[in-house]
């Protein structure tokens, strides 16, 4: 079926990939907002942040969300209403292909946040939900050509595990247990070359101290700013921006591809991503 297409890629900008067989204009990524600019406005926009674009018979809605697992969050009701009113032909989600089926809306949100919600709704509606993200294995291969593996590993662990954990994303499990599982499932399984000493949390703490200059504290402290992509002048922030732009370029290609064969396309991604690609989406739809 169409939504199982394999995508091919080409370097078009330093650190950025573009989807080739999706008929995406080669300069489309140039229209994206910088993540420095995104950082200045992302805390002030109402969520979900909606980009609603149409031309002729093509209609695209991109919903920018925070990643909440709270089914009482007002964003949940707004996103559900948006979906039910729009009735998309296909939905593109963040965070990988999701195959599980949920028994209730509450269960879906508590387990998979906004992605769980749209999976639950799309199953009821018998509509496909597809992954809009780059495969981790491919992202790692690309990013390892640009950055030392220890710097990349430090950034990814902080951005994908430590900071979400500190914000309550992974429940109350001991962090050392979370770390061991994440390293195996998210990194080693996806082909990231994790040195043996870094497969243990104690090894990661040594890496953190060597790179940052003081011990890791598992708390929301000023060190978090060293890994926030919106900050202009830090090594790991720059790694974060390149990771986001890489993912955005692939997302743009997939959106453009789905608009080739579907009239009503819905995208549900983190609001930072949607703010970044909003100008490119306007450019994309304008060409129809």
């Amino acid at each position: 079926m169409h939504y199982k297409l394999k995508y091919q890629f080409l370097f078009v900008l330093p650190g950025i990939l573009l989807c080739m067989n999706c008929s995406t204009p080669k300069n489309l990524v140039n229209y994206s907002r910088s993540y420095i600019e995104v950082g200045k406005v992302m805390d002030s926009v109402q969520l979900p942040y909606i980009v609603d674009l149409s031309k002729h018979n093509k209609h695209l809605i991109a919903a920018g969300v925070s990643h909440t697992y709270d089914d009482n969050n007002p964003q949940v009701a707004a996103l559900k209403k948006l979906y039910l009113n729009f009735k998309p032909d296909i939905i593109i989600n963040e965070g990988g292909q999701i195959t599980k089926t949920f028994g209730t809306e509450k269960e879906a949100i508590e387990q998979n946040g906004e992605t769980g919600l749209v999976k639950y709704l799309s199953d009821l509606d018998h509509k496909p939900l597809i992954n809009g993200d780059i495969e981790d294995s491919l992202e790692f291969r690309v990013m390892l050509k640009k950055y030392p593996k220890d710097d990349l590993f430090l950034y990814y662990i902080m951005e994908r595990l430590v900071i979400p954990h500190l914000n309550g994303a992974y429940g109350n499990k001991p962090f050392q247990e979370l770390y061991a599982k994440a390293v195996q499932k998210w990194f080693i399984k996806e082909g990231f070359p994790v040195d043996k000493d870094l497969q243990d949390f104690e090894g990661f703490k040594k890496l953190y101290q060597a790179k940052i200059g003081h011990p890791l504290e598992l708390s929301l402290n000023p060190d978090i700013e060293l890994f926030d992509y919106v900050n202009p002048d830090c090594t790991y922030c720059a790694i974060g921006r390149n990771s986001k732009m890489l993912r955005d370029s692939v997302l743009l290609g997939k959106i453009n591809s789905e608009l080739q064969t579907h009239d009503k396309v819905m995208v549900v991604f983190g609001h930072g991503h949607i703010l970044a690609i909003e100008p490119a989406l306007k450019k994309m739809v304008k060409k129809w």
Side-chain angles (χ1 to χ4, degrees):
M1 297 179 70
H2 171 74
Y3 57 90
K4 292 184 179 179
L5 280 175
K6 297 293 185 180
Y7 293 88
Q8 297 175 349
F9 303 92
L10 175 73
F11 285 99
V12 293
L13 292 173
I16 299 177
L17 287 178
L18 191 62
C19 187
M20 282 296 292
N21 64 346
C22 307
S23 302
T24 306
K26 289 185 178 181
N27 65 345
L28 194 59
V29 179
N30 292 336
Y31 288 89
S32 295
R33 288 191 179 102
S34 77
Y35 272 94
I36 302 298
E37 183 182 354
V38 168
K40 294 176 181 178
V41 299
M42 66 182 299
D43 290 337
S44 63
V45 299
Q46 183 177 348
L47 299 181
Y49 180 78
I50 307 300
V51 178
D52 189 338
L53 303 168
S54 60
K55 187 173 181 182
H56 303 310
N57 63 322
K58 298 297 180 179
H59 195 170
L60 169 69
I61 289 183
V65 298
S66 65
H67 301 305
T68 178
Y69 293 74
D70 177 8
D71 66 313
N72 291 315
N73 189 301
Q75 173 187 259
V76 171
L79 184 60
K80 180 179 179 180
K81 182 178 180 180
L82 181 69
Y83 178 96
L84 294 174
N85 287 340
F86 184 41
K87 296 189 178 301
D89 299 325
I90 192 166
I91 310 94
I92 301 175
N93 71 275
E94 181 177 1
Q97 191 68 44
I98 181 168
T99 58
K100 65 178 71 174
T101 300
F102 299 102
T104 66
E105 181 180 308
K106 181 179 177 66
E107 175 194 355
I109 296 164
E110 289 179 346
Q111 291 189 21
N112 280 87
E114 79 285 347
T115 300
L117 173 63
V118 292
K119 178 62 164 63
Y120 177 76
L121 294 173
S122 64
D123 281 349
L124 290 177
D125 213 17
H126 303 292
K127 295 297 173 63
L129 175 72
I130 66 168
N131 175 32
D133 253 324
I134 187 173
E135 296 297 327
D136 284 340
S137 57
L138 178 55
E139 178 176 348
F140 293 156
R141 290 200 301 272
V142 173
M143 295 293 280
L144 283 164
K145 295 180 184 296
K146 290 181 59 65
Y147 297 103
K149 65 178 182 179
D150 284 353
D151 285 331
L152 275 180
F153 186 72
L154 176 58
Y155 169 76
Y156 283 129
I157 288 291
M158 293 299 296
E159 193 260 349
R160 299 184 180 186
L161 184 64
V162 174
I163 295 173
H165 167 71
L166 294 175
N167 283 289
Y170 303 125
N172 297 318
K173 291 183 179 179
F175 185 79
Q176 191 156 349
E177 177 184 334
L178 289 171
Y179 180 89
K181 291 181 178 179
V183 169
Q184 290 294 326
K185 183 176 180 180
W186 299 353
F187 294 92
I188 294 174
K189 186 177 178 181
E190 295 296 330
F192 195 99
V194 183
D195 291 341
K196 189 167 182 60
D197 61 322
L198 292 176
Q199 295 177 29
D200 183 84
F201 183 46
E202 291 301 315
F204 178 76
K205 289 195 291 186
K206 292 178 182 177
L207 173 65
Y208 186 95
Q209 174 144 3
K211 295 288 186 178
I212 304 302
H214 53 260
L216 170 68
E217 295 180 15
L218 287 177
S219 65
L220 291 172
N221 60 67
D223 277 7
I224 301 302
E225 297 297 319
L226 299 176
F227 301 91
D228 191 337
Y229 60 81
V230 305
N231 295 322
D233 298 317
C234 53
T235 297
Y236 297 102
C237 307
I239 292 175
R241 285 191 291 275
N242 270 301
S243 172
K244 302 292 184 189
M245 289 187 292
L246 172 59
R247 292 171 62 199
D248 287 349
S249 66
V250 172
L251 173 59
L252 285 168
K254 292 185 178 183
I255 294 171
N256 195 70
S257 179
E258 298 308 331
L259 282 169
Q260 306 279 346
T261 52
H262 298 92
D263 291 338
K264 299 173 72 175
V265 176
M266 184 173 184
V267 181
V268 181
F269 252 68
H271 67 297
H273 290 283
I274 300 303
L275 282 164
I277 67 173
E278 181 178 9
L281 293 176
K282 291 178 178 178
K283 180 75 172 178
M284 180 190 296
V285 173
K286 186 177 180 180
K287 74 181 178 65
W288 287 100

